[in-house]
Amino acid sequence: MNEQKSPLRGLVRPVLVSAAFFMGLTGLAYPLAVTGIAHLLFPHQAHGSLVERGDTVVGSEVLGQAFTAPAYFHPRPSLTADTPYNAAASGASNLGPTSRKLIDAVAERVAAYRRENGLADDVQVPVDAVTASASGLDPDISLANAYLQAARVARSRHLPEARVRELVDRSAASHQFGVLGEPRVNVLQLNAALDALPAQ
């Protein structure tokens, strides 16, 4: 009586060899190659776009931080869990534009922003000053937002407002690739530039 051969017989070895090959290729060789190329061509970005003050790392250009002191420019709101700008809990509220909860939260933020910056009730508040980004980690604010905060920062630091606004202009980034996004300013870099100003 002839023993019937399994249709899978002879496939085990090629399957295991193939799995090991592709694990090595996609799990080891490719990531190492991409990391090596990134470190070679874009060393600053590959190391986290870190911002240093002297020998101390104070943050990253691509991750926002929760500045709250009046002498600093403040970032846009962050809804990352219980701690603002928590990179381990990136995310948004997922509330839509018709959500009563979102509408009420924005109204509260508008009132707080006007109070904080000494603005009249009829001053238009930039949308990025009162809404969180999709990631909750946005490091930038609009120029309009920065200009409205300039007077508060100048008062707190006993600086002429014109000097602070000039620093905003010098720190501003234009459209990405000349067409994408809006002119903006990186809050961490702007605040670091403020701290680097000579004392009055």
Side-chain angles (χ1 to χ4, degrees), residues 49 51 60-65 67 73 138-143 146 168 171-173 183-193:
S49 302
V51 176
S60 169
E61 294 172 10
V62 294
L63 294 175
Q65 290 186 24
F67 289 95
F73 285 90
D138 196 342
D140 303 323
I141 57 174
S142 66
L143 293 182
V168 171
S171 303
R184 63 210 175 278
V185 62
N186 184 285
V187 176
L188 176 59
Q189 290 179 320
L190 179 58
N191 286 334

Side-chain angles (χ1 to χ4, degrees), residues 110-136:
V110 167
Y113 186 87
R114 286 194 172 121
R115 252 190 334 270
E116 185 177 76
N117 294 292
L119 304 176
D121 290 342
D122 60 346
V123 173
Q124 188 78 27
V125 174
V127 70
D128 68 296
V130 293
T131 58
S133 67
S135 69

Side-chain angles (χ1 to χ4, degrees), residues 4-12:
Q4 190 174 6
K5 291 184 179 179
S6 168
L8 300 178
R9 190 174 179 179
L11 291 180
V12 173

Side-chain angles (χ1 to χ4, degrees), residues 46-113:
H47 287 97
S49 302
L50 300 178
V51 176
E52 297 178 353
R53 185 177 296 155
D55 294 331
T56 306
V57 174
V58 295
S60 169
E61 294 172 10
V62 294
L63 294 175
Q65 290 186 24
F67 289 95
T68 56
Y72 288 104
F73 285 90
H74 298 173
R76 67 186 301 178
S78 173
L79 299 175
T80 55
D82 298 327
T83 308
Y85 291 98
N86 179 0
S90 175
S93 68
N94 292 329
L95 299 176
T98 59
S99 165
R100 174 49 54 190
K101 186 176 179 181
L102 177 63
I103 292 168
D104 292 344
V106 168
E108 287 176 17
R109 292 176 196 147
V110 167
Y113 186 87

